[in-house]
Amino acid sequence: MSSTLASAPVKISAATSADVIALAYANDGQDAFVLKSPGNLIKDIEKHFEINLLDELSFFSPKGKVGEIFEIPVSAKNSQTDRIYLTAIGDGATSSHRLAAAAVARKVRGKAVSVYTACAINKDDIKAHAISLTMGAYQWSLKSERPAGIPEFLVACDDKELIDAAQIVSKAIARARDLVHTPSNIKNPEWMASKAQEFAKSTGLKVKVLAGKELKEFGGLSAVGNSSPKPGPRFIEVTYTPKKMNKSAPALAHVVLVGKGITFDTGGVSLKRPYDLMIGMKSDMAGAAAVLATLTALEELQPLVRVTALMMCAENAISASAQRPSDVIQQYGGTTVEVIDTDAEGRLVLADGLAYADINLDPDYLVDIATLTGSATLSLGRQFAAMYTRDDALADVFIKAGTDSGDRVWRMPLVDDYKDALQSEIADLTHTAVKGGYSAGSVMAALFLERFSGNRRWLHLDIAGSGRSEVDAGENPKGGTGFGVRLLTQWIMTL
Ligand code: BES
Ligand code: ZN
Ligand code: ZN
């Protein structure tokens, strides 16, 4: 369930019409705490409630740890407000604003309260704060008992467009999360296609779905997805074209995003071990969810660029029709691949998507995003995605988009010395390392994918760690994080 976000005037009258007023305090040097809010709000609030906020703060002996919140009961005539939250933003860095916003949101999650937040002053921080409010307040459940309500956030900001943009991104993140949270007995590749069609309805997004015999050339998607005969795999192509095509402008850049959409990953015949690892595998379509949700945001933001999302959707089931270790398959475009471990299914479906894009779509940028390897989590944990590209300029742009948006990426090397481990005696290549003993599972997967990217400006994001949270903390609920939506939207908006 996602909360609502709106801009509110930087005025005492707007603040006191909310149930809660959230204000920020920063640690500006040794133990000196300073209240930070736009305009004259601090002074006006102190006058209105006949209170001295710094005195109140010192009463609590704050440590100033980001997200630390003190709640002050207040009342005044002609005022709806009954609480003020004083929220620590630490050094005031944008990343601290995000954590502080998530902490405020968590305090009101599941409650029907209105919160006027005046916690940030500059535009980047306000936008980051706004999006993180909705991220922290997000809840998803199939419990029959529903939460009491959803909070409404009124962000003190006179720039309505800025908050509208934040609301669009917030909605898209919630959409991606909803898809990831949905259990795999409900979501299958056909369901993913129906969601794409539902989101595209009455918008300018176009959706094309291929299934059954139409997937003959998609050897990777078929080999993985035919393990689950009903309803079988789906290739879902979603296209965004800006409404205002400027005829005199140079041809628009074309971005193709390819997302891994494994609706459940048992590992196939190479069954996942230990079995507990399987529980999180309903999240193995987080890449496809991220690219679809990103397009819904772009449709509202209307950047002047063409974007195609390819959702490579299949279930990696274990059944009599499942592929076997030692099978040789033919990927889209003809490359033959010797299958070593059927649990490395993600790269097989992505390879079809990358080759399809290279052969048919003439992309200026080719970006894939996938919960691809446990190794990515081992090396970077859950706060950074592993990023691979040969293109230094593109890498820099993504690192910046990651820091600016909050979906952070870390550049990893495509180590040429390891390529020989993908040599097969009977096919063009193997899909996992058979020799060499290089380990580096995330690097090996990236080297495999690179073979299908043609000579495009290609970039690969391994979000195995960042796509799912195992704890309910900070911006993220336990489950799908929506990682990639902020990053891809930010990048495309600045293209
Ligand atoms: N979906 C998994 C990767 C994964 C693991 C995502 C943990 C999120 C959390 C992927 O399909 C997989 O099983 N990869 C294997 C590859 C190996 C068999 C070469 C892995 O990483 O162990
Ligand atoms: Zn797998
Ligand atoms: Zn997988």
Side-chain angles (χ1 to χ4, degrees):
M1 202 186 285
S2 79
S3 45
T4 63
L5 196 62
S7 62
V10 186
K11 276 195 187 140
I12 179 75
S13 55
T16 57
S17 59
D19 301 318
V20 177
I21 299 174
L23 302 169
Y25 68 95
N27 196 344
D28 271 15
Q30 275 190 339
D31 295 335
F33 293 101
V34 183
L35 291 160
K36 299 235 156 145
S37 286
N40 292 322
L41 275 172
I42 303 287
K43 255 198 281 158
D44 293 348
I45 286 168
E46 288 186 321
K47 207 163 122 198
H48 188 89
F49 294 104
E50 295 174 2
I51 193 172
N52 182 315
L53 289 169
L54 269 183
D55 279 358
E56 295 284 335
L57 191 61
S58 59
F59 170 79
F60 291 114
S61 317
K63 302 226 166 11
K65 186 170 181 290
V66 175
E68 181 182 54
I69 296 175
F70 297 112
E71 190 171 337
I72 307 171
V74 290
S75 70
K77 256 193 203 162
N78 307 325
S79 167
Q80 165 89 13
T81 313
D82 59 11
R83 277 160 295 156
I84 292 178
Y85 291 168
L86 295 180
T87 310
I89 53 166
D91 56 358
T94 307
S95 54
S96 306
H97 275 285
R98 288 196 179 96
L99 292 176
V104 168
R106 281 174 173 276
K107 265 184 95 73
V108 293
R109 191 163 79 168
K111 297 181 196 152
V113 293
S114 56
V115 185
Y116 179 90
T117 75
C119 290
I121 295 172
N122 80 51
K123 283 195 175 186
D124 290 343
D125 293 340
I126 292 174
K127 189 172 175 196
H129 170 86
I131 295 173
S132 297
L133 284 170
T134 63
M135 290 177 80
Y138 176 89
Q139 280 182 304
W140 194 95
S141 107
L142 292 174
K143 284 183 198 246
S144 37
E145 198 182 311
R146 309 299 302 161
I150 50 169
E152 175 193 12
F153 297 109
L154 302 158
V155 181
C157 177
D158 292 322
D159 184 346
K160 184 176 173 306
E161 248 178 58
L162 185 81
I163 304 302
D164 285 350
Q167 166 72 348
I168 289 168
V169 176
S170 294
K171 245 185 353 194
I173 295 168
R175 263 189 189 137
R177 287 177 169 189
D178 289 349
L179 296 176
V180 178
H181 277 88
T182 301
S184 301
N185 61 325
I186 300 174
K187 78 176 161 213
N188 56 40
E190 186 182 43
W191 182 91
M192 293 287 287
S194 73
K195 281 288 160 186
Q197 274 148 349
E198 180 191 317
F199 295 164
K201 211 171 161 191
S202 51
T203 75
L205 296 177
K206 299 264 178 307
V207 180
K208 177 173 113 180
V209 181
L210 301 182
K213 291 198 178 96
E214 295 162 326
L215 293 175
K216 214 171 88 209
E217 288 176 74
F218 294 77
L221 198 61
S222 301
V224 175
N226 288 341
S227 60
S228 173
K230 266 197 250 166
R234 293 289 185 278
F235 169 84
I236 307 163
E237 181 171 348
V238 188
T239 320
Y240 159 75
T241 318
K243 289 194 178 104
K244 272 195 214 140
M245 291 275 278
N246 188 344
K247 296 249 160 57
S248 59
L252 296 180
H254 187 196
V255 173
V256 178
L257 306 173
V258 185
K260 172 176 172 181
I262 299 297
T263 57
F264 194 75
D265 183 9
T266 62
V269 170
S270 317
L271 195 63
K272 263 191 195 306
R273 313 138 303 252
Y275 301 125
D276 299 7
L277 272 183
M278 236 185 257
I279 301 285
M281 287 304 136
K282 70 170 183 176
S283 308
D284 215 16
M285 35 56 76
V291 299
L292 173 60
T294 299
L295 259 67
T296 67
L298 297 177
E299 173 61 16
E300 290 191 66
L301 295 166
Q302 288 290 315
L304 287 176
V305 52
R306 285 191 302 136
V307 186
T308 305
L310 305 179
M311 299 160 64
M312 309 305 293
C313 292
E315 182 179 349
N316 191 22
I318 174 158
S319 77
S321 57
Q323 65 173 335
R324 313 148 196 82
S326 82
D327 281 1
V328 174
I329 62 167
Q330 192 168 34
Q331 300 278 172
Y332 192 97
T335 305
T336 54
V337 170
E338 183 183 354
V339 175
I340 306 294
D341 185 322
T342 64
D343 196 10
E345 82 299 336
R347 63 199 77 180
L348 300 179
V349 305
L350 288 172
D352 279 351
L354 292 171
Y356 176 91
D358 179 42
I359 294 164
N360 303 304
L361 302 178
D362 192 21
D364 296 298
Y365 299 96
L366 181 54
V367 175
D368 73 77
I369 175 163
T371 46
L372 205 59
T373 66
S375 313
T377 321
L378 279 181
S379 45
L380 295 174
R382 300 207 171 265
Q383 296 292 335
F384 276 79
M387 175 186 74
Y388 296 85
T389 180
R390 301 266 177 196
D391 189 317
D392 294 343
L394 191 58
D396 289 346
V397 169
F398 260 78
I399 290 167
K400 178 162 173 21
T403 314
D404 291 350
S405 70
D407 281 352
R408 292 167 295 176
V409 301
W410 194 260
R411 190 177 184 186
M412 305 278 277
L414 287 153
V415 187
D416 288 317
D417 309 19
Y418 301 166
K419 274 185 183 164
D420 61 1
L422 295 178
Q423 275 172 22
S424 165
E425 283 166 18
I426 55 168
D428 294 331
L429 75 165
T430 63
H431 79 317
T432 62
V434 279
K435 53 185 174 206
Y438 299 122
S439 298
S442 178
V443 180
M444 293 311 304
L447 287 170
F448 174 81
L449 291 178
E450 190 184 26
R451 287 282 293 261
F452 299 89
S453 63
N455 288 321
R456 306 290 168 178
R457 296 186 78 178
W458 164 75
L459 184 141
H460 159 59
L461 296 164
D462 190 336
I463 60 162
S466 53
R468 181 181 167 87
S469 174
E470 290 303 338
V471 288
D472 182 16
E475 290 174 328
N476 293 322
K478 181 169 185 221
T481 60
F483 188 98
V485 175
R486 282 188 293 187
L487 172 68
L488 294 171
T489 310
Q490 175 85 21
W491 169 57
I492 290 168
M493 291 308 290
T494 50
L495 263 184

